[in-house]
Structures are given as C-alpha cells and as structure tokens.
C-alpha cells in the first residue's frame, strides 16, 4: 500500500474506519469470546479492545465475510477467538502513509472505530 499516492492511503483509512464503525453493534459486541470462559464456566465477554480487534479480523477476512455477519451474527462469533486478532489492520494506513510520504500520519477519519462509538448500533447507550 505504501507505493500508492497519499489520497489512496487516506481513502483506505476512510473505508476501514467506516467498515469498523458499521460493525460496532450490540449484537456483535455482546457475543462472548469463543475460546475462553470466565470463572465457573460462564461466557467470557469481549472487552472494548478485544471487540475492536475482532471487528478488524472480520474486515481482514474480506468483503464477503464482512457482509455476511450483518444477516447472521453467528458468523461473527468465530472471529472473537484469541487466535484471530486483527489489531495489525489498524496500523496499515499510518505505516503506509509514513512510508509513502516520509511524514507522520495526521489524518482523522470521518468515522470513529473505537468500540461503542456507533450510537445507532448500541441503542441502550444513546444519551
């Protein structure tokens, strides 16, 4: 990606942030981590960071997977596994931009990718 011009890299960052924002929904964020259990065998909830990295893993799996989870939340569940950490995807635009331009990344995307920022996806969190 670093061989692309800066506008292309910025466009990628915008698409990524929107994809992550759209996945920021209660029906995905309240799913437990599939390969962990809490005390006494109860489901282990996703933390805000795990939920962000899980959403990244879904995006990294490709458009077909990303689209499929919206109609079937059960397809999101396998990506909560600790084996499928997609955190690396968050740093792709920053690193590509720095390599392409020699400048630090200083771009704020239109959508916030942080967990629980999509108020439409979390009706109970609306103020």
């Amino acid at each position: 990606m670093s061989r692309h011009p800066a506008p292309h890299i910025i466009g990628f960052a915008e698409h990524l942030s929107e994809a992550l924002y759209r996945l920021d929904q209660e029906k995905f964020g309240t799913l437990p981590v599939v390969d962990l259990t809490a005390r006494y065998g109860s489901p282990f909830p996703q933390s805000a960071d795990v939920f962000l990295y899980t959403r990244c893993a879904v995006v990294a799996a490709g458009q077909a997977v990303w689209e499929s989870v919206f109609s079937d939340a059960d397809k999101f569940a396998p990506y909560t596994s600790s084996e499928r950490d997609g955190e690396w995807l968050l740093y792709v635009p920053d690193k590509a931009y720095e390599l392409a331009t020699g400048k630090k990344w200083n771009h704020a995307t239109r959508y916030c990718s942080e967990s629980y920022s999509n108020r439409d996806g979390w009706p109970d969190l609306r103020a």
Side-chain angles (χ1 to χ4, degrees):
M1 174 163 295
S2 63
R3 295 184 181 152
H4 292 278
H8 180 88
I9 298 167
I10 292 168
F12 173 83
E14 290 293 341
H15 287 294
L16 174 60
S17 69
E18 182 178 6
L20 294 172
Y21 181 83
R22 290 193 51 209
L23 286 170
D24 184 19
Q25 297 182 33
E26 186 173 13
K27 69 180 178 179
F28 304 130
T30 56
L31 293 171
V33 177
V34 295
D35 53 356
L36 293 175
T37 55
R39 183 183 275 179
Y40 307 114
S42 61
F44 194 88
Q46 296 179 75
S47 67
D49 286 343
V50 167
F51 182 44
L52 173 57
Y53 305 154
T54 298
R55 289 182 287 134
C56 287
V58 169
V59 171
Q63 185 172 352
V65 170
W66 182 82
E67 289 175 353
S68 73
V69 301
F70 290 102
S71 60
D72 185 357
D74 288 339
K75 291 182 179 179
F76 186 94
Y79 293 90
T80 66
S81 168
S82 59
E83 300 294 317
R84 294 192 173 189
D85 183 354
E87 180 183 12
W88 61 270
L89 187 59
L90 294 172
Y91 309 109
V92 169
D94 311 46
K95 291 182 189 241
Y97 185 85
E98 289 178 19
L99 287 171
T101 67
K103 299 176 185 175
K104 289 282 183 192
W105 176 259
N106 191 21
H107 181 79
T109 56
R110 178 178 174 199
Y111 295 94
C112 179
S113 58
E114 292 299 324
S115 297
Y116 322 116
S117 62
N118 179 356
R119 294 293 179 199
D120 291 334
W122 294 87
D124 293 337
L125 295 180
R126 289 187 199 156

